[in-house]
Amino acid sequence: MNDDLKALIRTIPDFPKPGIQFRDITTLLLSPHGLATCVARMVAAVDGPVDLVAGVEARGFLFAAALAIPLQAGVLLIRKDGKLPGATIAEDYALEYGTDRIAIHADACAPGARVLLVDDLIATGGTARAAVRLLRKAGAVVDQAQFVVDLPDLGGADLLRAEDIAVTSLVAFPGH
């Protein structure tokens, strides 16, 4: 069903290092029909009302804003730590070598808010799982996440599902 969207996503071999097949969504974003189709299919997959659509920096911001309009929801930005002014709450997560940290404004999410997590791609799930922990720490109800691309061989979507998150994606690519 989503082969039309898959065809719009460019693969760049050996980026950012040898052996990686980078799935570049900028080619999807350049297609007005492809972007509109992508957003419409993501909106159709949402289960129930949401108060906020949380987008993970940076490409997740694009999809969060696009989904929020038809869903009549606000947009919550999940940023790299140190990028937001004012009071924030943050969550650490593991990288291949070391750790990183994401943050939201401390007052961005009212307790009990229904939040849809959105990003362009899920691979190992490290950032997405940290985002869920962060949102739940803020009192949000997070039970669904959407991605344009899934790399199922890396297991991130399955790790989210193990945390009671319904995960949907539009296209999947083998490998990493």
Side-chain angles (χ1 to χ4, degrees), residues 80-173:
K80 293 179 181 178
D81 194 34
K83 299 284 186 176
L84 293 170
T88 61
I89 58 173
E91 184 71 27
D92 292 326
Y93 62 100
L95 297 171
E96 187 175 357
Y97 299 104
T99 62
D100 210 343
R101 190 170 174 88
I102 54 174
I104 62 173
H105 279 120
D107 62 355
C109 180
R114 299 163 298 189
V115 178
L116 168 65
L117 179 65
V118 174
D119 205 353
D120 67 316
L121 182 139
I122 185 158
T124 64
T127 306
R129 292 175 64 216
V132 168
R133 289 191 307 271
L134 178 59
L135 293 165
R136 287 178 173 170
K137 186 189 303 185
V141 175
V142 186
D143 57 11
Q144 55 186 322
Q146 290 196 14
F147 304 91
V148 178
V149 175
D150 181 14
L151 304 179
D153 294 346
L154 296 179
D158 288 336
L159 291 172
L160 278 179
R161 289 182 187 104
E163 295 181 23
D164 296 321
I165 305 290
V167 178
T168 57
S169 61
L170 297 179
V171 298
F173 288 96

Side-chain angles (χ1 to χ4, degrees), residues 29-41:
L29 296 172
L30 286 168
S31 167
H33 175 74
L35 179 58
T37 300
C38 180
V39 170
R41 290 178 187 169

Side-chain angles (χ1 to χ4, degrees), residues 4-5 8-9 25-38:
D4 57 337
L5 296 178
L8 293 172
I9 298 169
I25 65 154
T26 62
T27 47
L28 170 69
L29 296 172
L30 286 168
S31 167
H33 175 74
L35 179 58
T37 300
C38 180

